[in-house]
Amino acid sequence: MVLAAAFLNDEQALIAGAIVGGVAALAAAAFLLLASLGSGGHRPTAMGARWMGGGAVIWGAGLALRPFAGSFVAGFADLFLLLGTVVTAGGALIAADRKLPARTVLRHITDAYLCAASLFLVGWVVQLRHVYEAAADPPTFTLVMLPPMIGLLVTCAVLPSVATSRSPAWTLGLAGAVTLVAMTVTGVSIAVARLDGGLPPVWAVLLAPVAFLLLSGVPWFQWPGPMGGAVARNLVAMVPLALVAVAAVTMLAHVGGGHAEKPVAGVVVIAVSVVLLLLVRLFVVSATNVRMRGLVRLGERQLRELAESTGDVVFLCDYQGVVREIGAGVEVTYGYPPEDLVGGSIFDYIHPEDVPGIQAALRAMGLDEEHTTPGACLIACRVRAADGTWRPTESVATRHIGGDELMLVTTRDVSDEEALRNQVAHLTFHDGVTGLPNRAYFEERTREVLSGRMAGNVAVIFLDLDGFTSVNDSVGHASGDYLLGQAARRLRGAVRADDTLARWGGDEFAVLVETGGEAQVAVDLAERLVRAVSQEPFRVADRDVALTASVGVAFAEDDMPAGDLIRNADVAMARSKELGGRRVEVFAAQMHADVVRRLELAADLQRALIEHQFAIEYQPVVDLATSRVTAVEALVRWWRGSVFVPPEQFLGPAEDTGLIVPLGEWILREACREVAAWRASSWDIGLSLNLSARQITAPRFVETVEEALAESGLPASALTLEVIEEMLVEDAEETIKRLSELRALGVRLAIDDFGTGYASLAFLRQLPVDMIKIDPSFVAGLGTDDTLTLLTRTIVRLGHDLGLIVVAEGIERPEQLELLREMGCTRGQGFLVARPMAARGVDSLMRTSLTV
């Protein structure tokens, strides 16, 4: 274009430039419209691009028409330029996507007027006054300069909204604002050239089209995110004042430079309007500040009233801790009159141990001039009340809005919360019945001690109260808890001050002993605990309750976990209980192995029941006078694969785990079926079965016996159920009730191992027994021990006197058999008489002979 202008005159170059500028504006409009279609659905981008494209078309048409001043259309060129500017400004605002309240819009309009007026006044001093003087026609000057001035006002109104936008299309809006600036410069250049009677420079004509072309490329590229923020808003707010200041300085310099000239009315009006508008703005700002200060004071008063209504103490102090103002709540909470505290230091009332930390926090807030640290500080300390007590408090200190030299502090007395926390912590780690530490505390303490000491210095003692369950059953759980409290006091008196005594659970207690390397210290302490429990009865519910204790002791080893040490003491205590209680057992490795074996055995027992690994053998009971078989005793046998497991190894675990109940039911039904079949072959034979405590107390046991008899067809009188005397002593009332129900069915009852229990004669009177079986330990001494022989003779005579059948068990030698016959014992069993045999052996015995 510049090269072409060299071969054309000025007017031709201007026309060519205007045409090229119009074409460029149309091309930019086309690109913007295409960009609006590919905006990805973002509405502000699409709408802003369309509006700015339309503005480019209108403005380009006005620029193309502008050189034809002599034509009748030429008067519309300025209108096209102005309309294009307004439409482009609308597109920039749409792209900025700002939704402003009415008050903000009014402020933007006044700021735009101040900016436009200030720029006009600066332009007047620099250039426009000469143009005005050359034109010598005020109306013409006004009409020619009015469109570009309106464009300048529109540009100044759009720029603040675009500069502070946070819209994703902010770059498009900013590019539109830059284009507006170029359009305004072009418009002013054209107006000045028209008033001078010359032609505008080509660069001025092409400035806006070039800006439009650059604008059309903005939507096609990705730009960084919006930059609108507090800094941008502050800078934009300062621009009108800065331009006013520049305009004022320029006018003063012009007047002070001796350029006294006749004032132009329009310029004076504009200058006066700027001053008046600034005064209005100053009044509005002052009123707003007054209103804001009132709101701040109201907020502070409401905050204090709210805090004091909740019991908090609110006060103002400086960063050295000097109290400037304090609420009336301090007298209610801490007992100090407010006037006594004003002017004093808060550190006079804070616990000395808490003062250094609080001073450091306050200094940090006071030295932080740029507020890089948080504006609020949470402080926990102890405050001395007027009665001299130290109260735990929680305070929040914040910078006072009225000035950086003061802090607003809200203090709350948290004595109740602290007491509640302590109570919760105590309940968490202490037992509510005895007041002793609980299991959680004991486990944690054991871990701490083992981690900080040599293992050989630590021992754990477990203690269980023997027979405590019967206390709960007889006098109730409340009285049982009272007894536990008494036991805890006795145990606490027996342990040393450094030992940790805890209630483990139920009627079990645990002691953590730091023995100092002497194992005997722990054993002696365990013995003292046993004596403390059993030395005298406990007084509960107006009765004396005598209890004993089973105690286990375990010693720590190197690298032993706390859980293993506690488990070992528990295992030793269980072993003590198995051996009868009221004794101390020290853990040995085989104890744990025995427990593991018992667990494995219990699992194998359950599997054996499912897989039918059990069998029944029958030991004949004979009439000693005739040697005829009168009954058989059913004995269970277990073959685990090809290995025979003795009954004494699995009957105990079966009783402990409750598997004895289904096992006993199977034995009952199977034995009844076999004996009923033998009786059907004209063999008058009876069946004896041993009962365990679990079987007798099992639900529906009596019904189970009745069903087994009915299913097999065995007469009830042919079934004899045997119980040992210890079963009659433990839970005697329930046991005798069940046995009486069985007796009512017609089943016979026998006391097994007679003479070894505690109350044989008493239960012979209470229970209708048909038979007594002499314990093998008595029979073993016949002929060799005169005392046992005398006792056996006495039992036989007693049975005869009571009309009972007497059976001697364990006959193994001929002299035993002869002595029993001589005593008049009616029946017997043992290896000498007949060994236990399978069912087929009993069949052979029945077919060959009924005597052994």
Side-chain angles (χ1 to χ4, degrees):
M1 184 65 202
V2 177
L3 182 62
F7 300 96
L8 301 174
N9 57 36
D10 291 340
E11 185 174 356
Q12 292 173 334
L14 178 61
I15 294 173
I19 294 174
V20 171
V23 173
L26 291 175
F31 278 112
L32 288 171
L33 291 175
L34 287 175
S36 69
L37 298 177
S39 62
H42 188 253
R43 190 173 183 275
T45 301
M47 293 297 295
R50 291 170 190 167
W51 274 66
M52 284 188 278
V57 171
I58 297 172
W59 197 90
L63 184 64
L65 292 174
R66 187 67 192 81
F68 303 99
S71 68
F72 70 94
V73 223
F76 296 99
D78 293 334
L79 295 179
F80 272 83
L81 291 175
L82 179 59
L83 181 59
T85 301
V86 173
V87 173
T88 304
L93 285 175
I94 292 173
D97 195 20
R98 294 294 304 276
K99 296 177 178 59
L100 303 174
R103 182 176 297 177
T104 304
V105 172
L106 181 62
R107 190 179 74 247
H108 281 192
I109 292 175
T110 57
D111 288 346
Y113 179 80
L114 289 175
C115 292
S118 299
L119 291 174
F120 174 80
L121 292 175
V122 173
W124 175 265
V125 173
V126 175
Q127 179 66 26
L128 293 182
R129 61 189 178 86
H130 301 298
V131 176
Y132 177 80
E133 293 171 357
D137 187 2
T140 301
F141 180 85
T142 302
L143 291 175
V144 171
M145 291 301 299
L146 185 59
M149 289 299 102
I150 294 176
L152 176 63
L153 181 62
V154 170
T155 301
C156 291
V158 169
L159 278 174
S161 295
V162 173
T164 57
S165 170
R166 301 184 66 85
S167 169
W170 76 279
T171 50
L172 180 62
L174 186 61
V178 173
T179 303
L180 282 175
V181 173
M183 294 166 69
T184 302
V185 172
T186 299
V188 171
S189 299
I190 292 175
V192 170
R194 183 177 178 183
L195 290 172
D196 281 344
L199 297 175
V202 176
W203 66 266
V205 175
L206 296 179
L207 180 62
V210 171
F212 271 117
L213 289 176
L214 295 176
L215 172 64
S216 64
V218 171
W220 301 94
F221 298 96
Q222 295 291 332
W223 301 87
M227 299 180 64
V231 176
R233 287 195 296 271
N234 292 334
L235 291 176
V236 169
M238 294 298 296
V239 168
L241 298 179
L243 289 178
V244 169
V246 171
V249 171
T250 303
M251 293 293 291
L252 291 174
H254 174 67
V255 174
H259 300 286
E261 54 192 28
K262 182 179 179 181
V264 178
V267 175
V268 173
V269 169
I270 292 174
V272 172
S273 66
V274 169
V275 174
L276 292 177
L277 191 57
L278 283 176
L279 291 176
V280 171
R281 287 290 301 275
L282 180 61
F283 175 78
V284 171
V285 169
S286 300
T288 302
N289 287 338
V290 171
R291 185 172 62 86
M292 293 300 295
R293 289 181 180 275
L295 291 175
V296 169
R297 286 194 295 271
L298 176 62
E300 289 182 356
R301 186 174 70 254
Q302 291 176 341
L303 177 61
R304 294 181 188 178
E305 292 175 354
L306 177 62
E308 292 181 356
S309 67
T310 60
D312 295 351
V313 177
V314 182
F315 63 92
L316 287 173
C317 70
D318 57 23
Y319 292 104
Q320 285 71 43
V322 178
V323 179
R324 302 295 181 84
E325 183 180 348
I326 191 167
V330 68
E331 188 168 7
V332 176
T333 305
Y334 295 102
Y336 296 110
E339 58 273 11
D340 293 349
L341 300 181
V342 175
S345 174
I346 61 174
F347 299 113
D348 295 338
Y349 305 93
I350 296 176
H351 197 283
E353 296 177 359
D354 302 332
V355 168
I358 298 175
Q359 288 178 333
L362 297 185
R363 282 197 300 270
M365 293 183 66
L367 295 176
D368 182 30
E369 298 180 356
E370 298 182 359
H371 300 341
T372 57
T373 60
C377 179
L378 180 63
I379 299 172
C381 64
R382 290 161 289 179
V383 174
R384 187 182 70 248
D387 58 4
T389 60
W390 291 102
R391 309 264 190 93
T393 63
E394 291 180 354
S395 303
V396 177
T398 57
R399 295 187 183 91
H400 187 234
I401 300 177
D404 291 335
E405 297 300 323
L406 296 178
M407 291 185 305
L408 178 65
V409 183
T410 303
T411 299
R412 169 172 295 183
D413 184 357
V414 293
S415 300
D416 294 339
E417 291 87 340
E418 185 74 16
L420 181 60
R421 280 196 295 267
N422 293 336
Q423 183 180 3
V424 171
H426 183 272
L427 292 176
T428 302
F429 293 104
H430 287 76
D431 174 55
V433 175
T434 63
L436 296 176
N438 59 12
R439 176 175 179 171
Y441 179 89
F442 188 84
E443 290 177 337
E444 181 63 27
R445 178 60 182 164
T446 304
R447 282 192 290 268
E448 291 178 359
V449 171
L450 286 180
S451 63
R453 286 180 172 269
M454 294 179 59
N457 296 340
V458 181
V460 169
I461 300 174
F462 252 63
L463 180 144
D464 180 88
L465 299 177
D466 301 326
F468 178 76
T469 304
S470 61
V471 176
N472 280 337
D473 296 340
S474 59
V475 297
H477 288 273
S479 297
D481 290 344
Y482 179 69
L483 187 149
L484 288 174
Q486 294 184 57
R489 287 190 291 273
R490 290 190 188 182
L491 297 176
R492 191 185 292 115
V495 300
R496 303 174 304 176
D498 294 337
D499 300 331
T500 302
L501 172 65
R503 184 188 177 194
W504 185 256
D507 60 342
E508 294 181 354
F509 296 85
V511 183
L512 178 64
V513 185
E514 301 172 35
T515 62
E518 293 292 335
Q520 191 60 39
V521 173
V523 176
D524 291 343
L525 174 57
E527 296 286 356
R528 288 202 305 274
L529 296 177
V530 173
R531 290 193 296 271
V533 172
S534 58
Q535 64 184 357
E536 61 178 333
F538 294 90
R539 188 68 178 173
V540 180
D542 296 329
R543 67 179 69 178
D544 290 334
V545 178
L547 295 179
T548 59
S550 299
V551 179
V553 182
F555 295 96
E557 300 176 0
D558 292 339
D559 300 325
M560 173 179 283
D564 290 355
L565 176 59
I566 295 173
R567 179 206 64 199
N568 292 346
D570 195 7
V571 169
M573 183 270 291
R575 178 62 176 167
S576 172
K577 206 169 188 66
E578 289 176 2
L579 296 176
R582 197 173 182 177
R583 59 187 295 145
V584 175
E585 285 291 323
V586 178
F587 176 81
Q590 69 270 16
M591 291 184 181
H592 182 248
D594 290 343
V595 172
V596 173
R597 281 196 299 271
R598 289 172 72 90
L599 290 174
E600 294 174 350
L601 188 61
D604 291 343
L605 276 171
Q606 193 165 17
R607 186 163 50 252
L609 271 173
I610 298 173
E611 298 176 357
H612 307 290
Q613 297 179 6
F614 291 102
I616 300 177
E617 288 187 351
Y618 300 91
Q619 185 171 26
V621 179
V622 302
D623 187 324
L624 295 183
T626 63
S627 296
R628 295 183 60 85
V629 177
T630 60
V632 289
E633 181 178 355
L635 305 173
V636 66
R637 298 292 184 259
W638 181 18
W639 289 89
R640 185 162 49 179
S642 59
V643 178
F644 174 73
V645 183
E648 58 271 15
Q649 291 187 10
F650 69 84
L651 288 179
E655 177 77 11
D656 295 340
T657 59
L659 291 174
I660 194 67
V661 175
L663 178 59
E665 183 177 345
W666 175 80
I667 296 171
L668 173 66
R669 295 181 184 275
E670 186 69 17
C672 286
R673 184 183 60 81
E674 290 283 359
V675 174
W678 295 329
R679 289 178 66 87
S681 303
S682 302
W683 186 13
D684 186 14
I685 188 173
L687 171 64
S688 293
L689 285 174
N690 288 291
L691 295 182
S692 71
R694 281 286 187 98
Q695 286 178 275
I696 296 177
T697 58
R700 298 189 75 257
F701 175 67
V702 177
E703 291 82 352
T704 300
V705 174
E706 188 175 8
E707 291 171 0
L709 293 174
E711 291 172 1
S712 62
L714 183 69
S717 60
L719 176 62
T720 302
L721 298 179
E722 303 176 7
V723 294
I724 61 175
E725 291 176 78
E726 286 79 359
M727 291 167 50
L728 299 175
V729 175
E730 296 178 4
D731 201 5
E733 183 177 350
E734 182 65 21
T735 302
I736 293 176
K737 177 184 176 183
R738 290 292 182 91
L739 293 177
S740 298
E741 292 174 358
L742 290 171
R743 191 70 176 81
L745 294 177
V747 175
R748 296 186 177 189
L749 299 179
I751 297 181
D752 197 13
D753 300 336
F754 187 83
T756 60
Y758 302 98
S760 303
L761 297 178
F763 283 103
L764 284 177
R765 180 178 59 83
Q766 297 181 36
L767 192 64
V769 175
D770 302 282
M771 181 186 303
I772 58 175
K773 303 184 74 172
I774 303 174
D775 187 79
S777 61
F778 290 97
V779 176
L782 292 179
T784 59
D785 189 318
D786 294 339
T787 301
L788 291 177
T789 301
L790 178 60
L791 288 174
T792 304
R793 188 181 303 276
T794 303
I795 293 173
V796 172
R797 184 179 300 113
L798 175 64
H800 288 167
D801 293 342
L802 295 176
L804 303 177
I805 299 173
V806 181
V807 181
E809 295 184 288
I811 303 174
E812 297 182 353
R813 300 193 308 275
E815 61 270 22
Q816 295 171 346
L817 179 60
E818 291 303 324
L819 282 173
L820 288 169
R821 283 175 174 170
E822 177 192 337
M823 294 176 186
C825 183
T826 54
R827 297 181 185 179
Q829 64 184 99
F831 286 173
L832 179 66
V833 178
R835 289 180 175 273
M837 61 189 72
R840 61 178 178 272
V842 180
D843 289 337
S844 299
L845 178 65
M846 181 185 65
R847 286 193 298 267
T848 57
S849 173
L850 298 181
T851 61
V852 293

